[in-house]
Amino acid sequence: MVHSKPFSQACQNNRQPILERIKAVFTEPATILEIGTGTGQHAVYFAAELSHLTWQPSDRPGGAGHSLGWIQEAALANIRPPLELDVSLGSWPVDTIDGAYSANTAHIMSWEEVEAMFAGLAKRLIAGGLFCLYGPFN
């Protein structure tokens, strides 16, 4: 099944500056959980540019398939199928995480969801694992 490709101009605009930051952080082979994959544009761009990483997209239940158009078209071996992830639930579809990344999510989550995201990451990140968070912060 071919999925349509939603487009985000913001993803297009910020992908290179974000890439420059995360490639300085995620230097070793690892699997990176992306929380809030959205359109999939970042997942595809980062996976193509950072072939030493395996990218694990995720999004809210009902939204994980939103990224399939970009992911399927890219057909990159280092992108896994998107997972449904509700950060507020105690159980996540992953047990351990080498690293994590999220863009433009924390400012649209409730405060309780933001706290749950950090708590969930704290339980699942390996020792020394890093979380990169991008967004409008004040």
Side-chain angles (χ1 to χ4, degrees):
M1 176 179 190
V2 176
H3 289 72
S4 64
K5 282 177 40 184
F7 180 80
S8 166
Q9 188 61 52
C11 284
Q12 196 69 18
N13 294 347
N14 64 27
R15 68 185 191 171
Q16 188 61 36
I18 294 172
L19 173 66
E20 294 305 316
R21 294 294 183 135
I22 66 172
K23 80 176 173 182
V25 172
F26 297 133
T27 58
E28 300 296 320
T31 298
I32 306 301
L33 174 67
E34 180 178 10
I35 298 174
T37 300
T39 65
Q41 287 168 252
H42 279 168
V44 167
Y45 187 71
F46 299 153
E49 295 291 325
L50 304 168
S51 61
H52 65 288
L53 299 177
T54 298
W55 209 258
Q56 177 59 74
S58 74
D59 217 313
R60 300 178 72 105
H66 198 59
S67 61
L68 285 174
W70 286 90
I71 292 170
Q72 289 174 345
E73 181 183 83
L76 295 168
N78 63 331
I79 299 182
R80 293 182 176 163
L83 300 172
E84 289 193 348
L85 171 61
D86 182 338
V87 296
S88 65
L89 297 179
S91 64
W92 285 19
V94 294
D95 292 325
T96 59
I97 303 165
D98 297 329
Y101 159 81
S102 192
N104 294 318
T105 56
H107 70 288
I108 60 173
M109 291 178 177
S110 69
W111 183 245
E112 292 77 19
E113 288 173 316
V114 172
E115 290 178 322
M117 176 177 65
F118 278 98
L121 288 167
K123 289 179 187 174
R124 290 165 181 88
L125 274 170
I126 63 167
L130 299 172
F131 174 43
C132 295
L133 182 62
Y134 172 88
F137 301 103
N138 186 3

